[in-house]
Amino acid sequence: VGATVCADKVDVADEAAMRNWIVSCDADAPLDRVFANAGVGTGIEDEANVRRTFATNVGGVVNAVLPAVELFRRRGAGGQIVITASIAGYGPLKSCPAYSATKACVKMWGLALRGMLRTEGIKVSVVCPGFVRSRITERNTCPMPFFMEADKAARVILRRVDRNVGLIAFPWPMRLASWGLSILPFWMNELVNRMLPEKVAAGRPKVL
């Protein structure tokens, strides 16, 4: 209530631009919570899209988090980082190799940062949502069980971020299924993956 909102357009893959923007935002009003929410879907797994996915989903998150941590450390007054990963980061998914890999990367990095930064009073939460309405899910052609509207997902995230929950993964049936898939022996994981539905993207041949 009563928040002042300022929107800017910045290339998250540009390290210098992101650092300058975050420092500028902090100068206007000291930051106490930073959401690193950069993310794109890969679509066709060609070289250009795979590189764009890694540059955005990993590089964009890193470029948001590191300057924020630096500012929090300099002030010595805590602060909170919230990194958006995905349920897709729980295991390798044949339908979206680059997307699942990048989300697994930021999930693990964020959870490790939480432990490392705890003694400095800096909080870190990692968000792993299932299917939530967005520009990414609007293009999905696969089934999306337990689909959630964005406002409902936002309420879930904020409640748990306020409680400093480390891993915020939802909805719980998706979290349970993804966790179960991730702990299977790889040959079983691979077998289950073969049975998962394909995402059909224009220009990508369907492979059985």
Side-chain angles (χ1 to χ4, degrees):
V1 178
T4 299
V5 178
C6 177
D8 288 304
K9 187 174 181 179
V10 185
D11 181 0
V12 294
D14 186 327
E15 177 186 345
M18 282 294 290
R19 182 176 297 276
N20 292 337
W21 179 63
I22 289 174
V23 169
S24 174
C25 289
D26 187 70
D28 289 339
L31 300 173
D32 56 13
R33 181 178 286 174
V34 172
F35 286 80
N37 195 44
V40 293
T42 309
I44 301 171
E45 292 274 333
D46 58 19
E47 181 173 350
N49 282 339
V50 168
R51 290 186 180 278
R52 179 179 67 99
T53 301
F54 273 85
T56 303
N57 295 8
V58 178
V61 168
V62 170
N63 291 339
V65 170
L66 293 184
V69 170
E70 185 178 312
L71 289 170
F72 293 155
R73 280 175 166 163
R74 192 178 303 156
R75 283 207 303 266
Q80 188 172 25
I81 304 288
V82 183
I83 294 173
T84 301
S86 170
I87 285 287
Y90 272 77
L93 296 176
K94 69 167 185 177
S95 60
C96 52
Y99 183 80
S100 64
T102 56
K103 292 303 185 178
C105 176
V106 296
K107 170 177 175 279
M108 192 61 66
W109 186 53
L111 295 176
L113 277 180
R114 178 179 172 87
M116 186 184 82
L117 296 174
R118 183 192 302 272
T119 58
E120 300 179 57
I122 300 173
K123 302 171 184 176
V124 181
S125 293
V126 177
V127 181
C128 293
F131 293 108
V132 176
R133 187 177 300 280
S134 69
R135 284 176 294 178
I136 294 177
T137 56
E138 283 175 358
R139 296 196 300 271
N140 281 353
T141 57
C142 61
M144 293 187 285
F146 307 104
F147 186 81
M148 189 177 291
E149 294 297 333
D151 58 344
K152 182 178 180 181
R155 288 194 295 270
V156 171
I157 293 167
L158 287 175
R159 281 198 304 268
R160 298 183 190 179
V161 166
D162 286 342
R163 301 202 313 267
N164 189 31
V165 175
L167 179 59
I168 303 168
F170 63 93
W172 72 263
M174 288 286 290
R175 179 178 184 176
L176 181 62
S178 300
W179 174 79
L181 184 62
S182 72
I183 64 172
L184 291 176
F186 181 68
W187 69 268
M188 293 180 66
N189 184 297
E190 194 171 33
L191 183 63
V192 172
N193 244 294
R194 289 176 185 169
M195 296 185 289
L196 294 177
E198 283 280 349
K199 281 186 179 180
V200 180
R204 185 177 73 186
K206 185 175 180 180
V207 179
L208 300 177

